[in-house]
Amino acid sequence: MSYKIENIIAESIAVKSKILKDDNLINILKEAVSVIVSAFKNGNKVLFCGNGGSAADAQHLAAEFSGRFYTDRDALPAEALHCNTSYITAVANDYSYDVIYSRIIKGIGKKGDVLVGLSTSGNSKNIINAFEVAKEKGITTIAFTGETGGKMKPIADYLLNVPSIDTPRIQESHILLGHIICQLVEEEYFDVV
């Protein structure tokens, strides 16, 4: 069992090492930070969506903005779109689970907002639909996916595709990338050194 534990840890480190060496991914990460800082400075908000573990990660990252990360500071307008269970279950029941995010983006999304979608496969239909509505409304999209980017790759404004096809390793790296964004946005927006 010890060998298996060590192997899992080594696999996680290997994925993060690939990210560290991926200049393109790091440049896209920097661009995502700039886009989010600009959105906040212009009075816009950041919305997050995901399914299952990725929904939990979306909620986690939204809370880092609306709560705090390292610094005692004002709240930033960020929200995970799945937190209203009455809305989610009503829309999924009355329409389709595929439209739970696109429908709310139609309702609350504004030009200049940012929509962050987390999907390890990059093929989550409800997130793809939300990205399509976001594009129509002038909302910038940032996709957190696995290696291929899936169907989200061609429609995302910014693609953070973790170099792995293993769902747990991808999700671990999504939190790493998300935390980097949260820290750098907080530092830049609040001029913290």
Side-chain angles (χ1 to χ4, degrees), residues 120-167:
T120 58
S121 68
N123 294 321
S124 299
K125 184 68 173 157
N126 55 8
I127 299 176
I128 291 165
N129 290 340
F131 273 33
E132 289 169 351
V133 170
K135 187 173 284 303
E136 293 168 11
K137 295 192 81 168
I139 296 168
T140 301
T141 56
I142 301 172
F144 283 61
T145 71
E147 190 164 48
T148 69
K151 293 176 182 173
M152 291 169 69
K153 181 178 181 175
I155 63 172
D157 294 313
Y158 299 93
L159 176 67
L160 296 168
N161 55 325
V162 171
S164 176
I165 57 169
D166 186 352
T167 297

